[in-house]
Amino acid sequence: MGIKNVAAVVSGMDEEYPFQIILGINEFARKHDINISYFAAFGGIIESEEFDIGEFSIYTLPDFSHFDGALLLSNTFSNPKIRNAIIDKVKASGIPAVIFECADYPEFHDVSIDNYAVMKRLVEHLITEHGARTFNYISGPLGNPEARDRYRAFKDALSEHSIEFDEESRMFEGVFRSYDGIRAIEAFEASGMSLPDAFVSANDSMALTAMTKLQHMGYKIPDDVMITGFDNTFNAQTSCPVLTTVKRPLLYSGDKACEILLALMNGEKRPRSTILEAEPVFAESCGCPDNGIGDVHEYQRKTAARFERTYANVHMLNRLIAGLADSETLEECIDSIEKMLGTINCSEFALCIVKNWETTYSTASIGDDTKPYAEIMTSPLILKDGVRSSVDTFPSSQLYPIVPETGGNISYFMPLHFNQRCLGYYIISNNDFPINSLLCHTMTMCIGNAIDNISKINVLDPLCKIYNRNGFNRNAGGVFKECVITGHSVSVGFLDMDDLKYINDTYGHKEGDFALKSIADAISSSCSSLDICARYGGDEFVVLGVGEGFIDSFNDKLKKKLNEINEKSGKPYKIDGSVGYVTMIPDKKQSLLEMIQEADSRMYKQKQEKKQSWVIVDE
C-alpha cells in the first residue's frame, strides 16, 4: 500500500484541547507507519492583523492534493475566514478528510463530542443542585461550531427553567484563550452589575484565569460565586478550588479520527459522523465535594515532569534570546539555534527560508491568490540524528528539504515571519516540543525576529522594502567591478525626495512614510531586474543601471509612475523628487562612491534650479 502521508491543520497547540487530540493522532500514526505533517500557527495572540497575516502564512504552504488524507482541527480556529479558506482548499483537493467537531460539510467525515448535551447537564446541575438563578457566560468565538453548541445549551437550560439571561451585559465572547477569562472579569467589573450566582465558561483555560482574577478581587469560590469550565484539563484538576468542568475523550477522538481516515485512504467505507459522549465532573468550584486527584504518585510524577520541562525550556529560551541578540549574520543565528535544539533534545530539525530572504518581502493572507512562499526555498540548517547539513535550493511544493523515506514520522511546520513579512518556516520532526511547551511560540517568534533583523541590518530597508545603503553597496559594487572588467557603461542616479519635511510637518509622519514608500515603489518599478536601487538614507535614493539607454528609460518610467501615483492617491501634496545622473565607462581609477557623489552633486543643482523657478513663479 505504500507509506501514507497525512496533513493535519491546527491552531494554538499550546492549549490542552488540541494537545490531547494530537497525542491520540500521533500514537495511532506511529503504530501504523503514517507520516503526519502538522501545519500550525498561533493567531490572535496580540490582536494584530499584520502579525496574523504572517502567522497564518503557514496555511498557504501545503498543496493538499499531494497528501493522501487530511485531519482538520478546524474548531481551534477563531478566525472564520482562515478556517473556511483551509476547508475550501481541502475540498478542492478531493482527498479524504476527517474534521473535528463539525458536521457542516458532507464532503468530510466528522468525529464530534456531544457538547450540547453535556453542557446542558452541567448548567442544569447549577440550577437544580445549587439554586443558581443569575449567570454570566464566558464564550468562545461564536463563529466556532463548538462555541455555538455550548452557548446554545447554556441558554436552553436557562430557558427551560424560566431563567432570564441578559445577553448584552452578561455574555463575554472570547477566542478560547486563557487571557479571555481575565478580560471577561474586567468587563463584568466595568459593567457595575451585581455579582452573578455563577460564571459558566466555555473552556477551562478561560475559567481558570477568570477564577484567579475573581480571587484577587477578594471573592471566594464557591461561597461568593460559582465558576465552571469545560475540558477537564490537568490544570483544572489541580486548581484550588478544583474546577467543575466537563471530561471529554479527547485522546480517543484523535485516535478514532486517524483510524477512520486510514480506512478511507484504503478505500473502505465508514459512517459519515461519529459522535462520542462526554460527562460532567462536579467539583469544588460549584460547591460539590472533590473526588480527589486519583493516583497521588501519578499526579506527583506529572507535576514534577511539568516543572522540570518548564525550567529547562525557560533556560533554553534565555540562551536562545541572548545568542540571537548577538547575531549579526545568518550563520551566527544558525549556531544559536543549533545550541537551543540540543537543550530540548531535538535531533531532527530543518530551517527553511525563502531563497532571497535578505531582500524578499512577501506577504499574503490565506484567502489571496498569491503565495508568500517563493517557488524556491533554501535550508541553511538541517539536523538529523546529530548530523548537520544544508540544502541550497528545494521547491517549496516539496515542503521538506529532504523528504522522509520512512513512515511513522511526526512533523510540525511552524511559520517564521516578522509581522506580515513571510520569511519561511521550520520543521521539528519526531519531537513533541511544539505541543509540550508553552514557550514554543515564543521561541518561534524569536527566530523570526532575528532573521528579519539580520536582513534589515545587512541589506533591506524595512519601510521601503528595497535595499538600504549597505545592501546597495554590496550588490552594486560587484556590478560596477564587472563593468570595469568588461568595459560596459554604467549609470548612477541619485534622487532626493522633494518636500518631505513639509509633508511631515503639515500632514504628519504617517503621510511622510506613505510618500517615502510611494516614491520607493516608483523607483523600484522603473528598474529592470538587472538594475539596483536603494534607499540611501533619509529621503535620498540611489539607482544603478548598465547600458547606454538606462538613464532615458529609467527617467521616462519614473515620471510616468509618479504621475500615476499622484493622480490615484488623492493626496493634498505632490510626490516628486530631484534627480542627478552620471554615465561613464569606468576604469580602475574610478570608484562607485565617486560616481554617487557626482550624481548627488548634479541632483543638488537640479533641486536649486527648481527652487529658483518657484521663486520666479511666485513673483
Side-chain angles (χ1 to χ4, degrees):
M1 294 187 294
I3 297 170
K4 302 295 185 185
N5 292 287
V6 170
V9 185
V10 61
S11 178
M13 293 191 298
D14 55 350
E15 299 289 349
E16 192 154 347
Y17 167 79
F19 167 74
Q20 292 290 341
I21 291 177
I22 289 170
L23 286 183
I25 292 171
N26 292 354
E27 185 176 330
F28 185 94
R30 290 185 178 110
K31 286 180 180 177
H32 294 84
D33 278 340
I34 300 172
N35 286 331
I36 305 285
S37 297
Y38 288 98
F39 299 92
F42 296 85
I45 296 294
I46 59 173
E47 299 181 353
S48 165
E49 184 177 350
E50 284 193 356
F51 179 87
D52 283 351
I53 287 173
E55 191 74 8
F56 292 147
S57 64
I58 196 68
Y59 301 124
T60 71
L61 178 62
D63 181 343
F64 291 104
S65 65
H66 293 173
F67 288 89
D68 300 302
L71 295 166
L72 306 177
L73 283 81
S74 61
N75 54 331
T76 60
F77 289 84
S78 59
N79 186 315
K81 179 182 177 182
I82 303 300
R83 182 173 62 250
N84 293 337
I86 293 169
I87 287 171
D88 288 344
K89 289 177 181 290
V90 177
K91 282 184 189 177
S93 73
I95 61 174
V98 177
I99 191 168
F100 290 85
E101 307 291 350
C102 182
D104 297 343
Y105 304 100
E107 299 90 344
F108 303 149
H109 285 62
D110 66 272
V111 172
S112 301
I113 296 168
D114 194 343
N115 290 275
Y116 177 88
V118 71
M119 175 61 95
K120 194 174 180 184
R121 286 177 60 193
L122 185 147
V123 177
E124 288 174 340
H125 171 82
L126 298 178
I127 297 169
T128 60
E129 298 297 323
H130 299 289
R133 304 295 294 178
T134 306
F135 291 83
N136 273 42
Y137 189 79
I138 305 173
S139 176
L142 293 179
N144 180 298
E146 276 190 287
R148 288 198 304 270
D149 283 348
R150 295 174 199 179
Y151 187 43
R152 182 168 57 89
F154 166 79
K155 291 196 296 182
D156 286 353
L158 267 58
S159 177
E160 291 176 12
H161 288 81
S162 301
I163 297 174
E164 294 184 0
F165 178 64
D166 186 350
E167 185 172 61
E168 183 174 344
S169 301
R170 291 195 177 273
M171 195 278 274
F172 179 87
E173 183 178 354
V175 295
F176 281 138
R177 290 285 181 177
S178 300
Y179 191 68
D180 292 324
I182 297 172
R183 294 171 59 217
I185 301 305
E186 289 175 343
F188 155 72
E189 187 179 20
S191 73
M193 300 191 74
S194 61
L195 189 70
D197 296 319
F199 282 91
V200 176
S201 175
N203 77 350
D204 287 350
S205 296
M206 299 187 295
L208 289 168
T209 53
M211 183 164 69
T212 300
K213 178 70 174 177
L214 287 166
Q215 289 171 325
H216 286 167
M217 293 166 63
Y219 294 112
K220 295 180 180 179
I221 313 295
D223 296 346
D224 296 326
V225 61
M226 295 177 282
I227 190 161
T228 65
F230 202 105
D231 284 336
N232 197 38
T233 62
F234 179 82
N235 288 341
Q237 298 170 47
T238 57
S239 64
C240 186
V242 177
L243 188 67
T244 291
T245 183
V246 168
K247 183 178 182 180
R248 298 194 287 169
L250 298 179
L251 192 144
Y252 176 71
S253 69
D255 180 277
K256 187 66 177 177
C258 223
E259 175 195 319
I260 293 169
L261 184 61
L262 179 58
L264 296 174
M265 291 188 295
N266 289 333
E268 302 172 20
K269 291 185 177 182
R270 286 292 185 273
R272 181 67 62 182
S273 294
T274 301
I275 307 297
L276 305 177
E277 297 299 322
E279 60 184 55
V281 178
F282 304 124
E284 295 172 340
S285 71
C286 74
C288 287
D290 177 31
N291 293 323
I293 58 176
D295 187 334
V296 174
H297 293 295
E298 179 65 11
Y299 164 74
Q300 291 175 330
R301 187 191 66 79
K302 286 183 177 180
T303 302
R306 177 169 288 202
F307 279 131
E308 183 179 347
R309 188 164 59 240
T310 300
Y311 289 144
N313 288 340
V314 169
H315 175 65
M316 171 277 295
L317 191 61
N318 288 339
R319 290 181 60 191
L320 178 65
I321 291 173
L324 293 178
D326 199 39
S327 299
E328 295 184 358
T329 66
L330 182 62
E331 186 64 27
E332 292 175 352
C333 179
I334 288 171
D335 288 340
S336 295
I337 295 171
E338 185 177 10
K339 291 177 183 177
M340 174 273 297
L341 294 172
T343 304
I344 63 173
N345 298 317
C346 178
S347 62
E348 293 185 48
F349 178 91
L351 177 67
C352 307
I353 54 180
V354 294
K355 177 61 177 173
N356 298 315
W357 63 275
E358 288 183 302
T359 57
T360 299
Y361 196 100
S362 309
T363 65
S365 60
I366 187 72
D368 293 344
D369 293 331
T370 56
K371 294 187 68 173
Y373 296 101
E375 290 186 7
I376 302 299
M377 305 287 291
T378 183
S379 184
L381 172 63
I382 301 171
L383 281 183
K384 176 71 173 176
D385 298 327
V387 178
R388 176 171 167 173
S389 63
S390 63
V391 169
D392 185 51
T393 60
F394 70 96
S396 57
S397 59
Q398 182 177 291
L399 302 179
Y400 296 85
I402 301 175
V403 179
E405 297 180 352
T406 59
N409 295 289
I410 310 298
S411 298
Y412 302 93
F413 288 74
M414 312 292 288
L416 292 174
H417 65 98
F418 181 82
N419 286 340
Q420 60 183 330
R421 181 190 181 193
C422 174
L423 295 163
Y425 54 92
Y426 70 81
I427 312 166
I428 286 182
S429 296
N430 301 320
N431 182 294
D432 284 338
F433 173 77
I435 60 172
N436 279 331
S437 175
L438 295 175
L439 297 175
C440 177
H441 189 221
T442 307
M443 181 199 81
T444 304
M445 289 190 291
C446 288
I447 295 173
N449 292 351
I451 294 174
D452 179 76
N453 188 52
I454 290 168
S455 74
K456 289 174 181 176
I457 291 173
N458 289 344
V459 296
L460 192 65
D461 182 86
L463 176 66
C464 296
K465 312 301 186 282
I466 58 177
Y467 286 130
N468 59 19
R469 181 184 293 218
N470 188 35
F472 179 83
N473 291 337
R474 285 175 58 178
N475 289 273
V479 175
F480 183 85
K481 289 178 181 179
E482 185 69 21
C483 289
V484 171
I485 296 171
T486 60
H488 287 108
S489 65
V490 62
S491 299
V492 170
F494 197 94
L495 183 147
D496 185 273
M497 185 177 173
D498 294 337
D499 299 324
L500 178 61
K501 186 178 185 302
Y502 167 77
I503 295 171
N504 281 329
D505 292 347
T506 308
Y507 304 104
H509 286 273
K510 186 175 181 180
E511 289 297 319
D513 287 349
F514 171 82
L516 281 167
K517 288 188 285 187
S518 296
I519 201 165
D521 179 64
I523 292 169
S524 178
S525 62
S526 301
C527 293
S528 73
S529 59
L530 300 178
D531 304 328
I532 299 168
C533 63
R535 183 184 180 190
Y536 210 59
D539 57 359
E540 297 175 336
F541 298 84
V542 65
V543 59
L544 178 144
V546 177
E548 293 291 342
F550 168 76
I551 290 178
D552 291 339
S553 174
F554 174 80
N555 208 32
D556 290 345
K557 291 177 182 177
L558 180 64
K559 288 179 180 178
K560 182 178 179 181
K561 184 63 178 179
L562 287 173
N563 287 335
E564 289 177 0
I565 290 173
N566 287 315
E567 288 174 5
K568 293 178 180 179
S569 72
K571 300 293 183 181
Y573 51 83
K574 183 180 179 182
I575 298 172
D576 202 357
S578 303
V579 194
Y581 295 103
V582 174
T583 299
M584 66 171 60
I585 298 175
D587 58 33
K588 294 181 180 180
K589 296 179 181 179
Q590 278 114 14
S591 69
L592 177 58
L593 179 59
E594 289 173 338
M595 286 193 71
I596 293 171
Q597 290 172 338
E598 178 61 26
D600 181 17
S601 177
R602 295 185 184 186
M603 175 278 298
Y604 181 75
K605 289 179 182 179
Q606 187 192 69
K607 188 174 281 287
Q608 290 301 109
E609 290 172 0
K610 279 187 178 181
K611 290 181 179 180
Q612 291 174 4
S613 68
W614 294 337
V615 172
I616 293 172
V617 171
D618 289 341
E619 293 177 350

